[in-house]
Amino acid sequence: GRGWLLQPMRVGEGRYLVFLLLMAGFWTSFNQIFITLPEYIRDYVDTSDLWRSLQAVTGVVGLDVTAWERALLENGQIKPEYLINLNAFGIICFQVVISWLVRKTTPLASIILGVSVTVLSFFVYLAGASGWVVVAAILVFSVGEILASPRSKEYAGRIAPPEKVGMYMGYFYWCVALGNLFGGLLSGVAYQHFGPQGVDAPDQMWILFAGLAASTAILLVVYNKLVLRRA
């Protein structure tokens, strides 16, 4: 007879709570593209190669890009925020094709594949601190996001009892919130240690982020074999 404000909060099935905790690890590593990558580009990456390529391409079609310099460049380098926006561009370009390719896979298999692709995107940064390497890494990351993010919400809806689909999908954002929290904390600690004010070894920082994402992928495989099959 108590009002709904006085009723205890119910997360749902225990296996779903485990899934949310595992996905928090993915979102923690996921957020590094928005938190850590801009600082890395600013301090380590020479993006002048991208500007030269842009000038060459636009020169062929007779387009003058000198008017763009004030908006795009800072000290001769492309501003990090414009490169980060390539993540959204990649999603726009690849979403339909990738969704069609994985349409027959289970949501959890797609999530595991997406997290694995995210791991690969972190290793791309080890190829060098150039603008084109960063572009490649961001686009690979976008593929991982396409595979993992939408299907994780689909998974929440699939395992929920019919009368609790909305609650399960709403609780999904707990893992997103935890990823935002721990992603910021991890970024600050990692960049302070591995960045220019620390040991100046950014490659080790990307390996750390890749290790976190890889651990999430491995634990999701274990979750699929032990928790779901037992259920």
Side-chain angles (χ1 to χ4, degrees), residues 107-213:
L108 194 59
S110 182
I111 294 168
I112 294 171
L113 178 60
V115 177
S116 301
V117 173
T118 301
V119 174
L120 176 62
S121 74
F122 290 135
F123 282 119
V124 174
Y125 294 109
L126 306 184
S130 69
W132 281 113
V133 168
V134 170
V135 169
I138 292 174
L139 293 179
V140 173
F141 179 90
S142 299
V143 173
E145 182 181 356
I146 292 169
L147 290 166
S149 182
R151 301 303 297 275
S152 58
K153 299 180 184 69
E154 179 185 348
Y155 172 82
R158 282 197 178 191
I159 70 167
E163 72 278 6
K164 296 182 179 180
V165 172
M167 183 185 75
Y168 272 57
M169 297 187 74
Y171 276 130
F172 172 81
Y173 288 95
W174 273 104
C175 66
V176 179
L178 291 174
N180 288 332
L181 172 63
F182 293 118
L185 295 174
L186 176 63
S187 174
V189 172
Y191 206 76
Q192 183 178 21
H193 179 74
F194 295 110
Q197 303 302 318
V199 298
D200 199 21
D203 285 355
Q204 297 180 27
M205 176 183 66
W206 293 116
I207 293 174
L208 171 65
F209 298 152
L212 174 61

Side-chain angles (χ1 to χ4, degrees), residues 5-221:
L5 282 174
L6 301 177
Q7 295 178 11
M9 183 173 63
R10 294 181 175 85
V11 176
E13 296 176 273
R15 61 174 180 164
Y16 184 50
L17 177 59
V18 173
F19 173 75
L20 293 181
L21 293 176
L22 293 179
M23 287 303 296
F26 165 72
W27 287 103
T28 298
S29 59
F30 169 90
N31 279 303
Q32 302 313 315
I33 190 176
F34 303 108
I35 303 174
T36 305
L37 184 57
E39 306 298 320
Y40 172 76
I41 294 172
R42 181 197 64 195
D43 294 334
Y44 289 103
V45 179
D46 180 9
T47 58
S48 59
D49 58 335
L50 295 176
W51 180 245
R52 290 193 298 269
S53 298
L54 179 62
Q55 288 180 310
V57 171
T58 54
V60 171
V61 297
L63 180 63
D64 183 12
V65 295
T66 55
W68 300 358
E69 292 187 19
R70 180 177 298 180
L72 290 176
L73 300 183
E74 185 175 357
N75 299 321
Q77 302 291 315
I78 295 180
K79 297 177 182 178
E81 55 265 31
Y82 290 103
L83 296 182
I84 303 301
N85 286 337
L86 290 173
N87 172 236
F89 174 78
I91 293 173
I92 292 171
C93 292
F94 306 140
Q95 178 71 67
V96 174
V97 173
I98 293 176
S99 296
W100 182 81
L101 291 174
V102 299
R103 67 192 185 283
K104 295 183 179 180
T105 63
T106 64
L108 194 59
S110 182
I111 294 168
I112 294 171
L113 178 60
V115 177
S116 301
V117 173
T118 301
V119 174
L120 176 62
S121 74
F122 290 135
F123 282 119
V124 174
Y125 294 109
L126 306 184
S130 69
W132 281 113
V133 168
V134 170
V135 169
I138 292 174
L139 293 179
V140 173
F141 179 90
S142 299
V143 173
E145 182 181 356
I146 292 169
L147 290 166
S149 182
R151 301 303 297 275
S152 58
K153 299 180 184 69
E154 179 185 348
Y155 172 82
R158 282 197 178 191
I159 70 167
E163 72 278 6
K164 296 182 179 180
V165 172
M167 183 185 75
Y168 272 57
M169 297 187 74
Y171 276 130
F172 172 81
Y173 288 95
W174 273 104
C175 66
V176 179
L178 291 174
N180 288 332
L181 172 63
F182 293 118
L185 295 174
L186 176 63
S187 174
V189 172
Y191 206 76
Q192 183 178 21
H193 179 74
F194 295 110
Q197 303 302 318
V199 298
D200 199 21
D203 285 355
Q204 297 180 27
M205 176 183 66
W206 293 116
I207 293 174
L208 171 65
F209 298 152
L212 174 61
S215 299
T216 300
I218 293 171
L219 289 173
L220 283 170
V221 172

